[in-house]
Amino acid sequence: MEKIKQKLIEKLKENYGMSIESVVEFQGTLTITVAKEKIKEICTFLRGDFDLYFDMCKDVIGVDYQRADFRFELVYNLYSIKNNFRFLLKTKLQETDLNIPSVVDIWPGANWPEREVYDFFGIIFDGHPDLRRIYMPEDFEYFPLRKEFPLMGIPGSIPLPRK
């Protein structure tokens, strides 16, 4: 396990050293944060590299930190069946630019998770083949997992379930 972890870090630093913002390991989970501008290129590399071969994107998760330096974070849960190794690839987004390239053409399994992140956070995945809401009505103008969304919902927008 340590061998593939070191190989992953070395290859990413060798090819994208300037785009790597941090490498952290906590409780056995490796997390690498990269610049948003290189996310598509790095994902393509991770999928295509013969030694690493991250052939599965298990999930795409949105996080709203509501910080001054960045607001949103995307977390890609990547897995290599060949190496039986998983790690988290993260990137940060500013509130003023919520567009990021879709990775559906690299990992088709990212289709629904990207739609879910769009539905709940309003992050727009450029190039997604079918970016529309999953849970919320198509004309709903809010994003319910953003920090500013009221816990009891927007009055009059969607009826709450009866008790």
Side-chain angles (χ1 to χ4, degrees), residues 8-123:
L8 169 64
I9 294 168
E10 287 172 15
K11 284 194 169 202
L12 284 179
K13 284 185 176 177
E14 179 183 311
N15 292 296
Y16 305 100
M18 297 297 288
S19 301
I20 297 173
E21 297 176 1
S22 68
V23 177
V24 177
E25 186 169 356
F26 180 70
Q27 295 186 343
T29 300
L30 178 68
T31 302
I32 300 175
T33 304
V34 299
K36 174 187 160 189
E37 295 74 25
K38 292 287 185 179
I39 192 73
K40 181 82 171 205
E41 191 177 331
I42 290 172
C43 287
T44 302
F45 171 78
L46 291 170
R47 174 69 167 95
D49 186 84
F50 181 76
D51 294 328
L52 302 174
Y53 200 64
F54 283 92
D55 49 349
M56 185 182 292
C57 178
K58 296 176 88 173
D59 207 355
V60 180
I61 303 159
V63 183
D64 182 357
Y65 286 108
Q66 206 168 25
R67 293 181 178 157
D69 54 339
F70 71 95
R71 175 149 182 194
F72 296 101
E73 189 170 69
L74 283 177
V75 182
Y76 299 86
N77 183 354
L78 303 180
Y79 183 70
S80 169
I81 295 172
K82 175 182 176 180
N83 297 300
N84 188 23
F85 181 73
R86 176 183 79 90
F87 85 104
L88 301 176
L89 182 68
K90 292 183 175 183
T91 193
K92 298 171 183 168
L93 289 90
Q94 302 292 333
E95 188 173 8
T96 55
D97 182 14
L98 296 179
N99 291 61
I100 190 160
S102 170
V103 295
V104 170
D105 58 333
I106 301 167
W107 297 291
N111 188 330
W112 284 59
E114 284 186 351
R115 285 181 60 190
E116 190 174 63
V117 170
Y118 165 71
D119 196 10
F120 288 147
F121 294 96
I123 295 170

Side-chain angles (χ1 to χ4, degrees), residues 114-115 118 123-126 128-133 138:
E114 284 186 351
R115 285 181 60 190
Y118 165 71
I123 295 170
I124 299 163
F125 293 89
D126 297 328
H128 191 283
D130 188 22
L131 193 62
R132 58 189 163 100
R133 300 192 99 139
E138 199 60 43

Side-chain angles (χ1 to χ4, degrees), residues 64 66 71-72 95 118-122 133 135-137 139-160:
D64 182 357
Q66 206 168 25
R71 175 149 182 194
F72 296 101
E95 188 173 8
Y118 165 71
D119 196 10
F120 288 147
F121 294 96
R133 300 192 99 139
Y135 302 107
M136 305 308 293
D139 60 344
F140 193 66
E141 59 190 280
Y142 306 99
F143 301 101
L145 289 186
R146 287 187 176 187
K147 296 277 186 185
E148 74 269 11
F149 192 84
L151 290 177
M152 294 305 294
I154 305 291
S157 62
I158 296 178
L160 294 175

